Amino acid sequence: MNWLVTGGAGFIGANFVHHLRRTSPGDRVVVLDALTYAGSLENLADALRDPHVRFVRGDIADRAAVSALFAEETFDVVANFAAESHVDRSIEDPGLFLRTNVLGTQVLLDAARRAGTPRFHQVSTDEVYGDLPLDRPDLLFTEETPLHASSPYSASKASADLLVLAYHRTYGLPATVTRCSNNYGPYHFPEKMIPLMITRALADQPLPVYGKGENVRDWLFVADHCAAVEAVARRGRPGEVYNVGGRNERTNLDVVRTVLRELGKPESLISYVKDRPGHDLRYGIDPAKIGRELGWEPKTRFEDGLRDTVRWYLEHRGWWEHILSGEYRSYYERMYGDRG
Ligand code: NAD
Ligand code: TYD
């Protein structure tokens, strides 16, 4: 198989490239990534020495560049991970999210359609469903839950999902969509909650918890998400959406306290800051369909996944210290400077 993995230099995309090299060493992988602030070739270091892996720097919204790549290569699967992915940044600059997440997806869909690519897989998020109330733990998102996005990020992802499903219905493009809950694990960019808390706690800096820390997310170890994407891209039914989640709901405060315990750091580092505008209260995924149809289940217990993740950040200080010393530093000042 010849895979096109867009966004393969980012957090989940890079984990997916490493995953494919383990599960399918005979497959070829072409990574298309613009290397924005969130992407780095360091995330792919070993993979880039593999003759089965090709890296192409390019923007998914650049029609000419995408056409040229599809003229050079014949892909069996396009797995679209490329996106602007951070909710807080989408509140600052929604336009960039529409360009990459919506128009970029459409450019890829057109290229796949013209080339007759046998499978287009869209990596999406549970955030397209909006949120659930905190006092109804019985309610979960299913694939039939109406789309009800809250942030510019989730609105752009919902728009992309609708385009992918429309290309299936209108043009017969064999497309699938996964909607996954919050991931954590190696290579997670330290603007996201778990790596932000790990790296700040290691430096004995305050941990900015939004609001009261009572918002709930369903955390899934990134390797489990990668296995789900592979299963759906290979065996999922075209035109179908599959929810992916960890059956592992936690309040933010609970997660932050677990990180502090793992690191042996005091809870006095927790600092409550002004809430995110439009902050989704709770995400809760029902992953029954992917379990029933494809036999996928989350395998990693949260306690184990978090311990491995903390260890990874301890063993890869160079990776994140490099990020924290660059452009990201001014981002942190801009985002959190007047929030406390
Ligand atoms: P990320 O921000 O870590 O990585 C995104 C990657 O896409 C980066 O390598 C970046 O350089 C690349 N990219 C951005 N714009 C591009 C463009 N115009 N052209 C080509 N490449 C571009 O994101 P992530 O957390 O790895 O998320 C990957 C995908 O999974 C996204 O589609 C996201 O919506 C989805 N998702 C993420 C989570 C999560 O918890 N992180 C959960 C569910 C779904
Ligand atoms: P995040 O990692 O940004 O993922 P998402 O917003 O896509 O779920 O945030 C996870 C949760 O953590 C979310 O409820 C917001 C909260 N959060 C904080 O409390 N402090 C922070 O500094 C960040 C980045 C997030």
Side-chain angles (χ1 to χ4, degrees):
M1 296 259 281
N2 195 21
W3 295 75
L4 175 61
V5 176
T6 69
F11 163 45
I12 306 174
N15 276 283
F16 187 69
V17 173
H18 300 310
H19 167 87
L20 278 183
R21 291 182 64 231
R22 280 192 300 272
T23 62
S24 324
D27 285 7
R28 196 163 165 275
V29 182
V30 178
V31 173
L32 174 64
D33 197 297
L35 298 181
T36 67
Y37 79 93
S40 166
L41 289 182
E42 268 184 76
N43 300 352
L44 291 172
D46 285 352
L48 294 176
R49 285 190 283 275
D50 180 341
H52 290 93
V53 177
R54 174 183 176 199
F55 179 80
V56 178
R57 184 170 191 178
D59 177 352
I60 58 164
D62 178 343
R63 209 168 269 280
V66 169
S67 294
L69 182 61
F70 274 74
E72 277 171 34
E73 298 269 356
T74 303
F75 296 115
D76 300 296
V77 192
V78 173
N80 183 26
F81 292 82
E84 288 294 333
S85 68
H86 192 39
V87 172
D88 292 324
R89 287 187 190 251
S90 82
I91 295 168
E92 276 214 318
D93 183 7
L96 179 59
F97 283 67
L98 296 193
R99 182 181 179 280
T100 294
N101 300 0
V102 186
L103 295 178
T105 300
Q106 191 231 341
V107 167
L108 290 172
L109 285 166
D110 282 340
R113 187 182 148 223
R114 262 197 316 275
T117 306
R119 176 57 60 101
F120 186 98
H121 182 72
Q122 176 71 1
V123 180
S124 186
T125 164
D126 61 355
E127 301 192 27
V128 299
Y129 297 123
D131 62 355
L132 296 163
L134 292 176
D135 60 356
R136 289 290 308 274
D138 54 310
L139 296 180
L140 292 171
F141 297 136
T142 72
E143 290 79 1
E144 275 69 50
T145 302
L147 301 186
H148 201 269
S150 311
S151 69
Y153 163 67
S154 53
S156 69
K157 293 296 290 186
S159 309
D161 285 14
L162 292 175
L163 275 175
V164 171
L165 296 171
Y167 271 59
H168 169 73
R169 165 102 187 225
T170 305
Y171 306 115
L173 183 77
T176 40
V177 177
T178 42
R179 294 186 179 143
C180 188
S181 60
N182 287 62
N183 285 213
Y184 66 98
Y187 303 109
H188 205 181
F189 196 84
E191 69 187 348
K192 303 283 169 56
M193 205 248 302
I194 288 184
L196 181 104
M197 300 303 173
I198 296 173
T199 53
R200 290 185 67 81
L202 280 171
D204 296 309
Q205 289 168 329
L207 309 189
V209 170
Y210 296 168
K212 295 187 192 140
E214 63 191 4
N215 303 60
V216 171
R217 298 292 184 263
D218 173 359
W219 292 98
L220 179 71
F221 193 56
V222 63
D224 284 327
H225 184 195
C226 292
V229 169
E230 184 183 10
V232 173
R234 285 190 191 278
R235 297 184 283 119
R237 287 183 294 134
E240 293 293 317
V241 173
Y242 294 86
N243 283 353
V244 181
R247 299 189 203 274
N248 175 49
E249 292 185 36
R250 313 259 161 170
T251 64
N252 291 340
L253 205 48
D254 181 28
V255 172
V256 172
R257 286 187 171 136
T258 312
V259 167
L260 288 171
R261 261 199 314 279
E262 277 302 321
L263 291 170
K265 296 284 180 179
E267 289 196 8
S268 56
L269 284 177
I270 294 175
S271 156
Y272 295 95
V273 301
K274 197 161 127 215
D275 211 349
R276 170 188 283 171
H279 195 172
D280 280 338
L281 291 172
R282 173 182 161 239
Y283 304 141
I285 273 270
D286 178 359
K289 177 177 173 182
I290 185 171
R292 201 170 53 241
E293 292 192 13
L294 303 174
W296 178 90
E297 287 292 335
K299 288 210 175 100
T300 313
R301 286 177 55 239
F302 184 67
E303 289 67 23
D304 299 337
L306 195 68
R307 191 165 306 124
D308 286 356
T309 302
V310 166
R311 190 176 315 127
W312 190 89
Y313 281 82
L314 284 169
E315 288 170 359
H316 294 80
R317 272 182 177 269
W319 181 86
W320 53 267
E321 281 176 351
H322 173 69
I323 292 170
L324 298 187
S325 64
E327 180 271 341
Y328 177 77
R329 190 194 290 242
S330 58
Y331 161 86
Y332 192 87
E333 280 307 312
R334 210 165 64 238
M335 267 312 169
Y336 294 84
D338 60 358
R339 214 157 165 159

